[in-house]
Amino acid sequence: MHLRDIEIFRTVMQVGIASRAADVLGITQPAVSQAIRRLETEAGLALFVRARARLQPTPEARAFLVEVERSFVGLDALQHRLLSLRQFGVEQLSIASYPALGLSLLPRVIAAMMATQPTLTVSLQVMSSREVRERVLAGLCEIGLMADEASTQGLQHYVLSEVNGVIAIPKKHRLARQQRITVDQFLSAEIVSLNAEDGSTRRLLSALGERAGLYRPRIETPYGISVCECVAQGLGIGLVNPLVGQSYTERGVVLRPFELNIAFRCILATPPSRPLSSTAKRFVAALRSAVAAK
């Protein structure tokens, strides 16, 4: 008994005329008749009584249709699932991110995706760049976002964003009135800094050259979001990734360009030899758009 023959039987039961069933299915009327005859032969009973142009179903045909409809409910569900996978992909997403994006931009991107994909489930783990690398390498997440000081050996990766740092300043600070912060102004202020091992801090010290000895932070912290929190509390000024700083402009923090171009790079990494799901691809595209809009 072939599934196609059962589908033809079901259509005939719905429309009552072989020629109309053929039109619905996009086949010829003889093909419809042949399918019905095959079913009747295999079953050893009559399913229809031929009455002029119509096929009158027998009681056995009506009883058989009940079982057929039960089966097609499951098939319809499978078809819907396939269409959903084609449109949205696997509706699960596992992300590991360093705090710079994990506590600022990523929740907004995820919210936008969930608005159009309500069945999406997301695991967002925020951790250090080193821990992100380990998690991606172990295949425990599909997408990893980390700062460029973390090793990318063994990972598929590319630079998601590279932006020049800005100076985050308390709104009431004397430097908040400046349109651009010079090196002298920066070094003369109380500074909140990322840790010395951070890639941006190393680039800053290199760019300062002989003046690097004048760089004496009041506070050091591993995360840009912590720098912004300290600035918001009036504890000093700090060089930050503008993608992080934007989250604090409504909390009394102003952002100003810096005389030196100090790059902040975000690396997007994925497990080796593992293609992204269509959902992950949509997320990456949305993330890239969000980064470009900043």
Side-chain angles (χ1 to χ4, degrees):
M1 190 173 295
H2 299 284
L3 181 60
R4 181 58 168 169
D5 290 347
I6 295 174
E7 182 184 13
I8 292 171
F9 162 79
R10 179 175 181 245
T11 305
V12 171
M13 291 291 289
Q14 290 171 340
V15 302
I17 301 175
S19 59
R20 189 178 301 169
D23 291 339
V24 170
L25 295 168
I27 59 177
T28 64
Q29 183 174 339
V32 172
S33 299
Q34 290 169 11
I36 296 301
R37 280 196 294 269
R38 279 194 298 268
L39 278 178
E40 291 179 323
T41 299
E42 291 182 31
L45 53 83
L47 296 175
F48 295 94
V49 175
R50 279 72 178 173
R52 297 182 181 178
R54 298 188 65 86
L55 293 174
Q56 298 292 338
T58 64
E60 291 81 3
R62 297 187 187 280
F64 183 50
L65 180 64
V66 172
E67 298 304 321
V68 168
E69 291 293 0
R70 288 175 181 169
S71 298
F72 269 82
V73 167
L75 290 173
D76 288 343
L78 290 174
Q79 184 180 34
H80 174 77
R81 178 58 173 157
L82 286 174
L83 290 173
S84 177
L85 286 171
R86 185 174 68 188
Q87 183 175 1
F88 298 118
V90 178
E91 295 176 340
Q92 296 176 340
L93 191 59
S94 177
I95 309 162
S97 175
Y98 72 134
L101 294 191
L103 297 175
S104 56
L105 186 63
L106 288 191
R108 295 196 291 274
V109 175
I110 291 170
M113 278 195 70
M114 285 185 162
T116 60
Q117 195 171 337
T119 58
L120 176 67
T121 59
V122 177
S123 170
L124 172 59
Q125 304 299 316
V126 180
M127 56 193 68
S128 70
S129 293
R130 178 182 56 80
E131 291 170 321
V132 170
R133 178 187 182 276
E134 292 173 354
R135 196 172 184 87
V136 176
L137 199 58
L140 297 177
C141 65
E142 198 168 7
I143 295 171
L145 298 165
M146 55 194 191
D148 65 345
E149 67 264 16
S151 171
T152 56
Q153 185 175 0
L155 299 175
Q156 299 182 92
H157 67 280
Y158 63 86
V159 176
L160 174 70
S161 68
E162 180 171 344
V163 292
N164 288 327
V166 295
I167 305 300
I169 308 169
K171 189 174 183 179
K172 296 182 180 180
H173 193 280
R174 58 183 175 81
L175 292 178
R177 296 188 296 273
Q178 303 297 318
Q179 295 303 305
R180 181 169 174 266
I181 305 303
T182 66
V183 171
D184 288 339
Q185 290 170 332
F186 178 65
L187 292 176
S188 66
E190 292 183 320
I191 297 172
V192 182
S193 173
L194 290 167
N195 286 349
E197 64 269 20
D198 189 274
S200 62
T201 301
R202 294 201 304 268
R203 286 188 283 273
L204 171 62
L205 292 173
S206 176
L208 287 173
E210 294 180 354
R211 290 181 287 183
L214 301 176
Y215 184 71
R216 299 187 183 94
R218 181 184 186 187
I219 299 172
E220 285 190 343
T221 176
Y223 303 129
I225 202 158
S226 300
V227 173
C228 290
E229 284 286 350
C230 291
V231 172
Q233 297 300 320
L235 298 177
I237 69 174
L239 177 68
V240 299
N241 185 329
L243 297 176
V244 180
Q246 283 292 336
S247 300
Y248 283 81
T249 56
E250 295 181 359
R251 293 187 51 193
V253 173
V254 297
L255 305 177
R256 295 290 183 261
F258 189 32
E259 180 180 358
L260 301 177
N261 292 329
I262 308 300
F264 282 78
R265 299 188 188 97
C266 173
I267 305 297
L268 189 149
T270 60
S273 304
R274 176 177 164 183
L276 289 179
S277 67
S278 54
T279 294
K281 290 178 181 177
R282 288 181 63 242
F283 173 80
V284 171
L287 180 59
R288 295 182 72 172
S289 295
V291 168
K294 290 296 181 180

